Amino acid sequence: MQSSTVKDRFERLKQRPVTLEVNNLVKVFDTPQGDVTALQAINFTVHRREFVCVVGASGCGKSTLVRILAGLETPSAGTIRLNGAAVEGPGPDRGMVFQGYTLFPWLTVKQNVMFGLRCTGHSRYTAEQDALQWIDLVGLNRFADSYPHQLSGGMKQRVAIARALANQPKVLLMDEPFGALDAQTRARMQAYLLEIWQNIDITVVFITHDLDEAVYLADRILVLKANPGEVQEMIEVPVPHPRTPAQFLSAEFLATKRRLEELIHPPVTVTEDADRLNMVRMVAVDDAVGSVF
């Protein structure tokens, strides 16, 4: 059960203006085997300064959805509106962070963060000063003149976040940005991201396959089911803010994760021959593993 404090927070959240609105979104891919519907009848809204995670089984269209929100893919039907204006392609009102390290290897940290600012017409001086502020925000001011190959994976993603935020977008879109990081670095990056989100005016849509990560970060979690990708449920996360790693064992955290697992990995009835591998035994009969000796 949600505490009164958490309920009050969601009531306040619902009173904020809607930043992102998705209506009847459909995406159909034309393949040699015929049309494949990746997304069907997707409807949801995201409020200003909300943190929404999107989860779902493999193949449910999570990455396709975020690419459409970024304007990198064209929907087959439906509309996306950002602060009331139709989204019809990429734009500086949306920042994007990918799972892979998408920094320009021939540019320094500062030059990478300056890149978008220069493309949108900022002078070199203004772009440099703004870039240094964002680099300081992500804690990399000592590495402003370093090149990507001189940085760790977590540091590269912090630069990518700074670059995405430099144009001061309304929405930050993140497609499994920490998926390639080791567990310790991932935990640090989650904490960095929450701190950044709490201190700047940004709305976040975050794609992840990690259920712990979704519950730890999100205000609400959009659950997609696969084949085709459809909205299965929108879950309000009852874990109170500020979030801390200690909450991973709280009743609210575990109950939310359990609900996600029920939705994404429902129990199945396995017949005797289902999913059985056609294996030829290549060890001695008495060389047993996975059994009682």
Side-chain angles (χ1 to χ4, degrees), residues 101-119 124 131 135 143-151 156 159-160 163:
Y101 306 133
T102 56
L103 304 180
F104 299 120
W106 60 87
L107 299 180
T108 65
V109 167
K110 180 174 65 177
Q111 291 167 341
N112 264 284
V113 179
M114 288 174 60
F115 184 83
L117 294 167
R118 293 288 286 156
C119 289
R124 177 173 294 277
I135 291 168
F143 299 91
D145 295 319
S146 299
Y147 287 88
H149 73 273
Q150 298 172 310
L151 306 177
K156 290 176 185 177
V159 178
R163 185 175 64 181

Side-chain angles (χ1 to χ4, degrees), residues 3 9 33-34 44 46 68 100 120 125-126 133 151 154 156 167 171 176 178 183 204 212 214 227 234 241-242 254 256:
S3 68
R9 186 172 188 276
Q33 291 74 37
F44 66 94
V46 182
I68 292 174
T120 54
Y125 175 81
T126 301
Q133 290 182 3
L151 306 177
K156 290 176 185 177
N167 280 316
V171 177
E176 300 197 32
F178 308 147
V204 182
D212 286 310
N227 302 316
M234 179 70 90
H241 284 270
L254 294 174
T256 307

Side-chain angles (χ1 to χ4, degrees), residues 130-192:
D130 288 352
L132 289 173
Q133 290 182 3
W134 290 105
I135 291 168
D136 184 57
L137 179 71
V138 298
L140 292 176
N141 53 312
R142 292 193 300 115
F143 299 91
D145 295 319
S146 299
Y147 287 88
H149 73 273
Q150 298 172 310
L151 306 177
S152 68
M155 293 165 72
K156 290 176 185 177
Q157 286 301 60
R158 283 152 69 185
V159 178
I161 292 171
R163 185 175 64 181
L165 293 174
N167 280 316
Q168 300 185 43
K170 301 299 181 185
V171 177
L172 179 62
L173 304 168
M174 311 186 79
D175 187 9
E176 300 197 32
F178 308 147
L181 304 177
D182 64 82
Q184 291 183 339
T185 304
R186 186 174 190 143
R188 288 198 300 270
M189 289 301 301
Q190 291 166 354
Y192 279 129

